[in-house]
Amino acid sequence: MHPSQLRPLRNRLRLSIRDAGLTDLTLADATQTAGTFWELEPTPLVIDAVEWAGLEAAIKQQARLINAFLVDIYSGQEVLKEGIIPPDIIFNDPYYRRPRLGLSPERVNPATLLRFDLVKTARGWVFTETHANTPVGLSYAVQNRRFLTQEAGEIYRALPDYHSIINFPLQLLDALRALAPRERSNPNIVVLTTGPRFPFFSEHSFLARKMGLPLAHGDDLLVLDNRVYFKTVAGLVRIDVIYRRLNDAYIDPVVFSTDREAVGIPGLLQCIRAGNVVLANDIGTGVAESRSLQPYFPKLMRFYFGEKPLLPQIGTIPCNDIDQLEYVLDHRAHYRLRPAHDPRIGQPAVPEPRFGPRGLPQVIRESPAAYVAQSIITSMPLSPQAKRKTPYRLSTYVLAQGKQFSVMPGGVINLGVEPPPDRVGLSADVIVMADGAGAPGEISDLEASVASGSLSTLPGSRAAESLFWLGRYLERAESAARMLFILDDVALEEIPARDRKRWLPVWRGLLEATGHADEKITARESPHATFGRDLPWRMTLDTRNPSSLFSSVRAAADNARQLRDYVSPEAWSLLTRLLDRLDQLARLPRKPARARNPRQPSPQPNASLAIQAVLTDVNAFLGTAERTMLHDAGWHFMLLGVQLERAIMTCGALRHVLGALDTAARARTDAVSDSLIYQDNPELSALLRMLGSQDAYRRLFQTRSQPRFVAELFLQQPDAPRSIFQTLQTMQTSLAAIRADTLEGDDEPAARSLTRVIDFVGALRLDHYFGVATRPSDSNLGEALSSLLELLWAVYPELSDQYFNHQARLAATAAQTELSLASEM
């Protein structure tokens, strides 16, 4: 391709990565950290079938070696007894885990997934790195291919036959199933993640979504009786296999001292020792990543297999080898100093030491065993047509399953300077040409459709709660934005001064519904005056205000970020773009726009733009989510959040407006008809518009806005989308769907709580509140709506105790057990 064609292609790829939300950089990270998390260069590395056959054989041999070495050093340690490698290389290694000794002696392949980095020189391929602890990059290899086939499909379609890598995560799923300690056709498997605040969370969520597995945090898992259980909305489900994506130093805070206890699983090692759960990759596999081992790989290959390495290792000399270190110092221009281990993910990067005028730097003289000297090698160009000799390395991935080793036919290319350990960096695709026999090791669509176990349709308790709050925050943002938009529009209309006091209930209802009940609105202030001050900013873009539109959208995005295995990429991209837009608006100067009427100050333009963005993009997110997300129990938890927030905001707005009108009606002593008492109520028209129900009201009642009919519309009308009765019915439907998935009974606490609210709304005698002549003396609509609001607020605690809070469920189970024992006695 001509450079003029490559530039727009690069831009499209950059936008694809951004829109998919795969940057793993929060807004704070983006401003504080230099460098891009992940970029994709269009030009791929092409490997022909003959070259790949030799490369694949060497990679399989290396994978066999690493697993044989790991089995040995955590069991018989024959390699140390025979003096093949010095014991201090192992025992002084910070990633050698002594508690792993004899933990699972029958384990053939402690490292299920391995990654090997290679560089192609003029003499051929050379191994440079081994990654056996938590190998990173598998998902980025798959997504690089996906993005390129989307944006440059005509080029890929023009290629001869080449291997597909799209289904390699399903091969990983097959390898995880084979690890299950129990004889089960569909074992329960979870992906253990560090969470969205750590790098590469997008990979964890992508692999979990691709394999159909739950994405679990440490506090999602519980150890009971030497077994690991996953906290789901249906109760505790026993786990057979854990695919861990966090460092083993954090895995069990009971055994390993760590400052991140919340990400681990207390008691996990005892469960592994009892044979009740299997970890992939196993604890202690990080010791195989030490660069100090690389000079001994040829000896290890002969010792374990009696074979010669099919590919060489990069020239490496440990800095504690005094004899060879003198040679390194004499030829320092050909070597680079490197730590034996790179910093783990989440740890701060350490500058690479350099040779100084006195030879070795001080840090190496103090800890020579922690560093090595490696040969500086020059890689071949990425393609024969490349003008620049940009260095690159190839990262390949291999699965170990019994005696079978499957190599991904491709991988990730990293171009230029090596990225920090918390970045993917500038990458490229790897195309492996087929030899005409088809792509080996691929999984058919039929096999891929097999469910991974009973967890496939059960959301975890944490995920269900996050989905519930995702729905609540989205509804809160959309409803608040619509109310502000309508109020701004109405405020531009001519309102007589005598009617401004009648707007106060509307203002108070709006402020309470949007979380600003503490704002002081006096009788002399009107929507004109108040909205022209700083209140619009606080209600929309104030990042320190927990009730602003920005804060609601940010909270929704934080919940969605933890749900990347649930929220579809299409919906996620809309939410991240909205958050970016609001962040940009929040950073702009707060300059008021020119007033459209000299007597009426206009709201700040940034606030108006924020309101429009929220109205557009939140509804786009909900519509896209409905069409792209699985409508399982997790989806219904999100709907529960949406509907409950809608009912609470509607009730909060009604309480002030209708309550004020009801108080005014009670003050009238003459028994005249309602039509004379409520001759003109512009605040009711504004309320209908703010709650998006003006057209529904006109179609149902075909009259001007009257309190009696407005109350019926928002309280008891079964067909109006903002009606509290309608939202409660929708919640009942979602709760019934959840009970069907979780096998809960109709009499569970959350259902009883919802039924109480529905009964309360249905029992409201609206004629008692709006008929002056027949009104009971003790009837007060404001108090009734306050009681309704309290009942609505009580729904969430019942939901939490039933589905989210397992401490409450365990306590209830224990109480029932004690009662049954007491009755037997």
Side-chain angles (χ1 to χ4, degrees):
M1 298 179 70
H2 190 271
S4 61
Q5 297 174 295
L6 281 173
R7 279 191 294 273
L9 177 55
R10 288 191 182 98
N11 290 332
R12 293 200 304 273
L13 292 172
R14 190 177 297 112
L15 290 175
S16 296
I17 293 173
R18 186 205 68 183
D19 291 345
L22 301 172
T23 59
D24 271 11
L25 292 176
T26 63
L27 294 174
D29 295 330
T31 58
Q32 297 175 6
T33 307
T36 303
F37 176 77
W38 174 22
E39 284 188 286
L40 178 53
E41 167 62 34
T43 306
L45 172 69
V46 180
I47 303 177
D48 63 43
V50 175
E51 183 181 13
W52 175 253
L55 196 57
E56 182 181 33
I59 294 169
K60 290 181 178 180
Q61 184 192 50
Q62 193 76 356
R64 288 170 52 221
L65 173 65
I66 295 300
N67 274 295
F69 169 73
L70 289 171
V71 169
D72 185 23
I73 62 168
Y74 287 116
S75 55
Q77 298 184 342
E78 297 298 327
V79 70
L80 302 180
K81 295 175 183 178
E82 295 295 328
I84 305 300
I85 57 177
D88 60 315
I89 288 183
I90 302 300
F91 296 137
N92 292 336
D93 192 292
Y95 302 107
Y96 176 70
R97 306 298 183 193
R98 285 176 173 79
R100 168 71 176 78
L101 281 168
L103 189 63
S104 49
E106 74 287 348
R107 188 79 177 266
V108 177
N109 295 309
T112 304
L113 176 68
L114 296 110
R115 167 184 147 192
F116 297 109
D117 294 348
L118 302 97
V119 170
K120 187 176 184 180
T121 68
R123 295 184 177 182
W125 290 97
V126 176
F127 282 108
T128 60
E129 302 283 351
T130 298
H131 300 269
N133 187 42
T134 54
V136 169
L138 173 60
S139 73
Y140 304 108
V142 174
Q143 293 178 96
N144 280 350
R145 176 69 57 84
R146 180 166 65 94
F147 288 137
L148 278 167
T149 52
Q150 288 174 354
E151 300 296 339
E154 68 283 357
I155 299 178
Y156 275 75
R157 284 192 295 271
L159 284 170
D161 289 339
Y162 62 94
H163 289 267
S164 172
I165 61 173
I166 300 300
N167 284 332
F168 196 77
L170 299 178
Q171 291 181 254
L172 172 59
L173 175 61
D174 190 46
L176 295 175
R177 285 178 182 155
L179 293 175
R182 293 183 288 164
E183 293 296 329
R184 292 186 57 181
S185 58
N186 285 321
N188 289 323
I189 309 170
V190 295
V191 179
L192 181 61
T193 177
T194 49
R197 298 300 179 187
F198 290 81
F200 303 112
F201 177 73
S202 63
E203 171 161 84
H204 308 172
S205 59
F206 175 86
L207 291 176
R209 188 169 64 249
K210 188 74 174 177
M211 294 187 288
L213 300 177
L215 191 60
H217 295 220
D219 55 4
D220 291 331
L221 300 169
L222 176 69
V223 170
L224 291 173
D225 299 327
N226 289 337
R227 292 174 174 83
V228 179
Y229 293 90
F230 183 50
K231 303 173 186 176
T232 76
V233 293
L236 301 179
V237 175
R238 184 178 168 184
I239 297 301
D240 303 294
V241 180
I242 299 173
Y243 174 42
R244 69 174 178 96
R245 293 308 306 262
L246 74 162
N247 298 331
D248 51 15
Y250 314 140
I251 198 72
D252 188 345
V254 174
V255 178
F256 301 111
S257 177
T258 173
D259 58 347
R260 296 172 182 168
E261 296 183 358
V263 302
I265 309 168
L268 176 63
L269 259 70
Q270 190 59 35
C271 301
I272 298 174
R273 195 176 300 278
N276 293 325
V277 70
V278 175
L279 211 60
N281 290 354
D282 211 342
I283 295 171
T285 50
V287 68
E289 299 180 351
S290 174
R291 296 186 178 101
S292 299
L293 285 173
Q294 289 178 318
Y296 301 96
F297 277 164
K299 292 182 180 180
L300 293 174
M301 195 74 73
R302 288 193 297 269
F303 177 74
Y304 289 122
F305 308 130
E307 300 173 2
K308 292 183 178 180
L310 297 177
L311 286 180
Q313 301 287 326
I314 186 173
T316 305
I317 297 175
C319 288
N320 61 351
D321 190 336
I322 304 300
D323 297 334
Q324 296 192 65
L325 198 56
E326 292 295 331
Y327 175 83
V328 171
L329 291 173
D330 292 340
H331 301 80
R332 65 184 67 183
H334 302 287
Y335 286 89
R336 59 186 291 201
L337 299 172
R338 307 196 70 188
H341 286 279
D342 284 329
R344 286 292 189 255
I345 297 171
Q347 296 176 346
V350 179
E352 194 171 282
R354 299 180 180 276
F355 290 105
R358 297 175 57 192
L360 294 175
Q362 181 67 26
V363 65
I364 294 182
R365 290 200 296 270
E366 293 175 354
S367 303
Y371 294 88
V372 299
Q374 286 192 327
S375 302
I376 297 175
I377 57 178
T378 303
S379 65
M380 298 288 287
L382 191 64
S383 66
Q385 295 81 18
K387 297 180 179 179
R388 293 186 300 172
K389 307 299 181 183
T390 304
Y392 73 90
R393 76 166 190 264
L394 165 65
S395 295
T396 62
Y397 302 87
V398 56
L399 285 171
Q401 186 176 351
K403 295 183 179 180
Q404 299 295 320
F405 293 85
S406 303
V407 182
M408 171 188 274
V412 176
I413 290 292
N414 278 103
L415 294 161
V417 180
E418 294 181 14
D422 61 348
R423 295 286 190 276
V424 180
L426 181 59
S427 64
D429 188 19
V430 182
I431 298 176
V432 175
M433 308 308 295
D435 58 4
E442 292 191 353
I443 296 179
S444 67
D445 292 338
L446 179 62
E447 292 175 305
S449 66
V450 178
S452 61
S454 60
L455 286 177
S456 57
T457 58
L458 282 180
S461 297
R462 177 195 52 80
E465 188 170 22
S466 294
L467 283 162
F468 174 83
W469 280 104
L470 170 63
R472 287 198 68 171
Y473 283 122
L474 288 173
E475 177 66 19
R476 185 175 303 176
E478 195 275 340
S479 295
R482 182 168 18 82
M483 291 180 181
L484 292 169
F485 175 78
I486 296 300
L487 193 63
D488 177 25
D489 190 46
V490 172
L492 298 177
E493 301 172 359
E494 291 293 338
I495 301 176
R498 67 178 185 274
D499 290 336
R500 290 178 181 175
K501 289 183 180 181
R502 300 175 63 179
W503 275 78
L504 294 180
V506 179
W507 259 111
R508 293 191 178 107
L510 168 64
L511 294 175
E512 178 176 295
T514 57
H516 299 83
D518 57 340
E519 298 285 350
K520 297 187 182 301
I521 304 297
T522 67
R524 294 183 179 180
E525 290 180 310
S526 69
H528 305 146
T530 307
F531 211 80
R533 299 177 182 176
D534 199 41
L535 184 58
W537 176 266
R538 294 199 302 276
M539 298 177 77
T540 55
L541 291 169
D542 188 352
T543 59
R544 294 172 296 180
N545 178 8
S547 298
S548 67
L549 295 183
F550 182 93
S551 296
S552 294
V553 172
R554 181 171 57 189
D558 287 342
N559 280 279
R561 189 174 289 111
Q562 300 183 53
L563 300 164
R564 296 299 306 280
D565 50 329
Y566 284 92
V567 178
S568 65
E570 297 87 351
W572 168 253
S573 64
L574 290 169
L575 191 56
T576 54
R577 275 191 288 185
L578 172 58
L579 186 59
D580 290 343
R581 176 61 175 153
L582 295 182
D583 180 65
Q584 293 170 4
L585 291 173
R587 295 172 187 274
L588 292 176
R590 287 185 279 172
K591 295 181 180 179
R594 179 177 299 176
R596 285 166 282 187
N597 186 324
R599 298 180 181 179
Q600 298 175 356
S602 297
Q604 297 170 3
N606 299 357
S608 297
L609 292 174
I611 291 170
Q612 290 286 356
V614 170
L615 285 174
T616 301
D617 289 346
V618 169
N619 284 300
F621 173 90
L622 292 172
T624 302
E626 183 180 11
R627 290 162 176 78
T628 56
M629 286 176 60
L630 185 66
H631 287 202
D632 59 357
W635 166 260
H636 286 286
F637 275 110
M638 190 177 79
L639 288 187
L640 281 175
V642 169
Q643 297 299 326
L644 180 59
E645 186 68 22
R646 181 175 299 178
I648 289 173
M649 296 193 76
T650 299
C651 188
L654 290 178
R655 188 165 70 97
H656 286 278
V657 179
L658 293 181
L661 290 172
D662 181 58
T663 301
R666 287 166 59 86
R668 298 294 297 265
T669 57
D670 50 335
V672 295
S673 66
D674 292 347
S675 61
L676 294 177
I677 293 177
Y678 304 115
Q679 291 182 352
D680 188 21
N681 297 291
E683 62 271 39
L684 287 181
S685 297
L687 179 68
L688 287 168
R689 292 169 64 181
M690 287 168 59
L691 295 180
S693 301
Q694 190 176 51
D695 288 341
Y697 180 86
R698 295 286 185 262
R699 290 187 60 188
L700 286 170
F701 300 106
Q702 289 135 24
T703 183
R704 61 182 176 80
S705 304
Q706 297 185 29
R708 170 65 176 78
F709 297 143
V710 170
E712 180 181 341
L713 175 74
F714 287 123
L715 289 172
Q716 296 178 337
Q717 174 55 239
D719 299 323
R722 301 290 306 192
S723 162
I724 293 177
F725 187 79
Q726 203 273 349
T727 59
L728 294 173
Q729 283 190 320
T730 305
M731 291 177 66
Q732 268 194 329
T733 302
S734 291
L735 203 56
I738 293 170
R739 291 201 303 269
D741 282 351
T742 59
L743 304 179
E744 295 281 357
D746 292 341
D747 195 38
E748 47 97 6
R752 292 199 303 269
S753 176
L754 200 55
T755 301
R756 282 196 297 270
V757 188
I758 293 175
D759 291 344
F760 182 92
V761 173
L764 286 173
R765 299 285 301 275
L766 297 180
D767 290 338
H768 285 180
Y769 299 107
F770 298 101
V772 175
T774 61
R775 166 195 292 275
S777 60
D778 59 345
S779 63
N780 187 309
L781 183 59
E783 292 178 0
L785 292 175
S786 295
S787 299
L788 174 58
L789 197 59
E790 291 179 3
L791 288 174
L792 289 170
W793 279 110
V795 172
Y796 170 69
E798 296 288 359
L799 276 172
S800 178
D801 288 346
Q802 181 67 27
Y803 295 109
F804 310 148
N805 185 357
H806 281 264
Q807 294 300 325
R809 299 189 69 163
L810 290 173
T813 303
Q816 289 178 355
T817 303
E818 290 180 2
L819 286 174
S820 62
L821 289 175
S823 62
E824 292 175 1
M825 295 176 62

